[in-house]
Amino acid sequence: METRDKIIQVTDLEKHYNFGAIKALDGVTAEIDKGDVVVVIGPSGSGKSTFLRSLNLLEEPTGGAIIFDGVDITKKKYKDENGKWVKVNMDLHRQKMGMVFQHFNLFPHKTIMENMILAPVKVKKVPEEEAKKKALELLKRVGLEDRADAYPIQLSGGQKQRIAIVRALMMEPEVMLFDEPTSALDPEMVGEVLDVMKQLADEGMTMVVVTHEMGFAREVGNRVLFMADGKLLEQGTPEDIFEKPQHPRLQEFLSKVL
Amino acid sequence: MNNFVQIENFGRIAPYAELFVQGIIVTVMLSVCTVAIGFVLAIILSAMRMSNFCPFAFLGLDKEGHQRERGLGVAIGKFNPLAFLATAYVEILRSTPVIVQVAIIYYGVFGALFELPSFTFFGFIKFDRFFPGVVALGMNSGAYLCEIMRSGIQSIDGGQTEAARSLGMSWFQNMKYIIMPQAIKNILPAIANEFVVIIKESAITYTIGVQDIMSAVNAVRGATFIIIEPLLVATAIYFCLCFPTSKLIAHFERRMSRGDKR
């Protein structure tokens, strides 16, 4: 058996609204290893986005645990080995998790270059020159080095999403979270974004992707999670999920989307 | 039957023109000072309202440090005294008449609690009247400006905050680099409009003897028993102050939205 290097371990994660009347997440347990490309699929309202957003606490779970780098980040504070209370610094953990959103969320008042270097310079205190150099390299990789001084409004959706991806990469994250990165794009632009993501996966980046792109899930993902009604109903390799679906909900879902 | 307006009456009030000129200066100074005080106050108030200062947050945690879901501790833990104070202030000031507030500040606070030095500046502005007027109006407009700022900040798409926080920025960094630069664009025209509102509202301070345009009207009436014509003069003056100002604001508002990069 190959060695597994766990990055994120999610145990019994719950997100309840109105004291349990609505269960967006109802006990999800999953592990994400280094180098994994985990694709989360499921019908809308199944809690896949909530699950992803919980991973960096954009949604605060109401129960369960998320162990990231050995720390349960769902706790506000914890006791260290000396028995002292330590506050969990969420900003520090978020720096290690890049996130890409459905609606890009580029900063409209800043140029592409400013968008990319803002967090490294202000948060990680990287010298501006160094950050700019790195930004140009990343821009070159996604073929947008000539748009460094453009504003987000001047870019197409696909270009914006590619920028959003490299903006997150500027922080050198350990994990990249993608929240339906192609859902707001024109069909012709989906490919260019998926290509960048594929490239990232090939380089060994750990990724968690919520998507409706079944082709991507099958081709790039090495693990697929199927969620419905806030529960993780089935997980396995893409072959297992797409060729031999076990759970009736999954079979029904696949018959609709494939 | 008298006419509504008698032209010769304008001639009879002409000797009092200087009162109106002084009134204009007082009104404009009053408005500028008021908006300045209101602006500073509003920044403090809206910072208090949006702060996440919860001194009792630990009551909402369980033994392991998890946020609990319900219970008295959670409710108390979510209590933010700064936000509570600021909200109470804004709601009280917005729900009571300005004329009452001005009277309370003048007769109550500065009449009974603090002694103000009585001197005049510019030769005709009485400090012990002017200052309470400015304080009262400033406190009032601070409450309104606070609401303007809050709505301006809340109008920024929540995705901006999510993006900033997911990049590891703190609450404060998000405010400073992402939210405020975008919100200011929405807020500035509204603040300028508040200035126009204050020019008109400052007329209320004649009730505590601030010698603004409105008090010039009363002085003239007292001296000549002419009432309609001085009022018309005051109306014209207020219009000439407010109308160009709001047109100017509208002009800059258009220019700013033209440069909007969204």
Side-chain angles (χ1 to χ4, degrees):
Chain A
M1 198 173 152
E2 58 182 318
T3 52
R4 297 180 64 185
D5 197 356
K6 260 178 267 169
I7 284 196
I8 303 178
Q9 186 173 7
V10 182
T11 331
D12 241 344
L13 198 65
E14 285 176 354
K15 172 74 179 178
H16 291 180
Y17 294 99
N18 299 342
F19 304 121
I22 299 161
K23 294 176 178 167
L25 287 180
D26 195 6
V28 175
T29 302
E31 278 171 15
I32 292 149
D33 300 339
K34 206 168 172 53
D36 259 358
V37 179
V38 177
V39 182
V40 188
I41 59 171
S44 56
S46 60
K48 6 183 240 306
S49 273
T50 311
F51 170 68
L52 191 79
R53 291 157 57 83
S54 296
L55 291 182
N56 69 353
L57 294 204
L58 286 181
E59 302 277 356
E60 264 190 62
T62 46
I66 303 168
I67 316 277
F68 176 62
D69 272 352
V71 177
D72 183 355
I73 56 175
T74 59
K75 292 182 182 178
K76 301 281 178 197
K77 53 183 186 179
Y78 64 93
K79 260 187 182 150
D80 67 2
E81 53 271 28
N82 303 325
K84 266 176 85 179
W85 284 103
V86 182
K87 263 200 171 163
V88 175
N89 184 352
M90 206 40 229
D91 296 336
L92 212 64
H93 293 294
R94 284 192 179 126
Q95 288 172 34
K96 301 180 203 160
M97 296 193 202
M99 180 137 185
V100 176
F101 300 87
Q102 183 177 0
H103 296 289
F104 329 128
N105 295 348
L106 296 181
F107 307 132
H109 60 301
K110 295 195 175 293
T111 64
I112 300 308
M113 179 56 81
E114 289 166 346
N115 260 282
M116 292 180 68
I117 66 172
L118 181 69
V121 169
K122 299 296 180 195
V123 179
K124 278 177 113 182
K125 311 287 179 205
V126 176
E128 200 174 314
E129 284 309 307
E130 204 175 301
K132 276 189 173 160
K133 225 176 90 192
K134 185 154 184 250
L136 275 178
E137 267 168 39
L138 281 168
L139 282 175
K140 209 168 278 176
R141 253 182 57 180
V142 294
L144 290 169
E145 69 268 35
D146 53 331
R147 308 312 303 271
D149 296 318
Y151 282 91
I153 183 80
Q154 297 164 305
L155 303 183
S156 72
Q159 289 174 328
K160 279 186 206 169
Q161 196 60 297
R162 281 185 279 162
I163 297 294
I165 294 174
V166 287
R167 178 178 70 177
L169 287 178
M170 284 293 288
M171 295 297 283
E172 298 176 335
E174 294 172 19
V175 192
M176 284 284 282
L177 311 175
F178 293 84
D179 190 5
E180 305 200 16
T182 56
S183 299
L185 295 178
D186 291 341
E188 63 204 334
M189 293 169 181
V190 170
E192 62 191 63
V193 172
L194 291 182
D195 283 344
V196 173
M197 291 167 62
K198 226 174 278 176
Q199 224 185 72
L200 260 185
D202 290 341
E203 286 163 22
M205 173 62 78
T206 311
M207 294 163 53
V208 185
V209 187
V210 170
T211 188
H212 295 292
E213 295 291 328
M214 294 304 149
F216 178 86
R218 194 186 287 222
E219 195 184 329
V220 184
N222 69 342
R223 223 137 51 78
V224 179
L225 312 183
F226 173 72
M227 287 184 68
D229 304 329
K231 291 193 182 73
L232 182 60
L233 292 185
E234 194 164 337
Q235 57 174 315
T237 63
E239 294 80 52
D240 289 344
I241 295 286
F242 290 107
E243 312 301 340
K244 295 173 289 219
Q246 306 294 319
H247 202 281
R249 286 294 300 271
L250 176 56
Q251 289 165 355
E252 184 197 334
F253 174 73
L254 288 177
S255 72
K256 278 181 192 155
V257 296
L258 287 182
Chain B
M1 185 76 183
N2 283 337
N3 285 330
F4 175 63
V5 176
Q6 289 169 304
I7 301 297
E8 66 267 23
N9 275 351
F10 285 110
R12 286 165 58 197
I13 64 169
Y16 299 95
E18 206 195 332
L19 280 182
F20 282 100
V21 174
Q22 289 176 355
I24 293 171
I25 295 172
V26 172
T27 293
V28 170
M29 279 191 56
L30 198 64
S31 311
V32 171
C33 296
T34 295
V35 172
I37 290 180
F39 183 69
V40 174
L41 192 61
I43 287 178
I44 298 169
L45 285 172
S46 40
M48 283 167 73
R49 279 182 88 156
M50 289 182 310
S51 67
N52 39 13
F53 172 72
C54 300
F56 309 114
F58 65 91
L59 290 175
L61 302 184
D62 60 18
K63 275 187 209 122
E64 289 155 18
H66 277 112
Q67 176 76 49
R68 265 180 299 198
E69 208 172 332
R70 65 170 116 189
L72 190 62
V74 176
I76 300 174
K78 281 185 183 153
F79 177 68
N80 180 343
L82 291 182
F84 177 80
L85 281 179
T87 308
Y89 176 90
V90 169
E91 294 307 336
I92 290 171
L93 272 274
R94 282 186 351 136
S95 315
T96 49
V98 194
I99 193 163
V100 176
Q101 293 163 14
V102 169
I104 287 179
I105 295 292
Y106 178 67
Y107 295 109
V109 178
F110 289 107
L113 296 178
F114 300 102
E115 190 83 25
L116 279 177
S118 57
F119 62 89
T120 58
F121 56 107
F122 291 133
F124 54 88
I125 303 178
K126 288 188 196 143
F127 180 75
D128 56 348
R129 307 286 170 109
F130 184 80
F131 187 71
V134 166
V135 169
L137 284 180
M139 283 173 67
N140 181 270
S141 89
Y144 282 91
L145 283 173
C146 173
E147 279 293 281
I148 290 171
M149 287 185 186
R150 194 174 59 97
S151 64
I153 287 167
Q154 284 177 348
S155 72
I156 304 300
D157 176 26
Q160 294 288 309
T161 299
E162 287 183 356
R165 297 307 297 271
S166 78
L167 285 167
M169 283 189 224
S170 65
W171 181 88
F172 184 77
Q173 284 170 326
N174 170 42
M175 273 294 161
K176 184 173 165 196
Y177 299 117
I178 308 302
I179 302 301
M180 285 318 278
Q182 297 184 60
I184 293 252
K185 225 194 260 183
N186 302 344
I187 295 172
L188 270 185
I191 289 178
N193 276 321
E194 176 72 7
F195 180 64
V196 174
V197 171
I198 292 295
I199 291 179
K200 291 180 286 177
E201 228 166 53
S202 68
I204 215 102
T205 56
Y206 98 91
T207 56
I208 59 166
V210 177
Q211 287 155 311
D212 70 338
I213 298 169
M214 201 52 206
S215 94
V217 172
N218 282 284
V220 172
R221 184 181 64 177
T224 63
F225 302 107
I226 304 172
I227 175 68
I228 291 296
E229 288 77 7
L231 276 174
L232 287 178
V233 172
T235 308
I237 293 173
Y238 277 119
F239 183 79
C240 290
L241 285 177
C242 293
F243 182 69
T245 314
S246 50
K247 280 292 148 197
L248 200 69
I249 295 164
H251 174 73
F252 281 112
E253 211 174 332
R254 272 198 301 278
R255 272 192 38 186
M256 258 167 39
S257 62
R258 205 185 302 155
D260 201 344
K261 295 287 186 191
R262 234 175 299 181

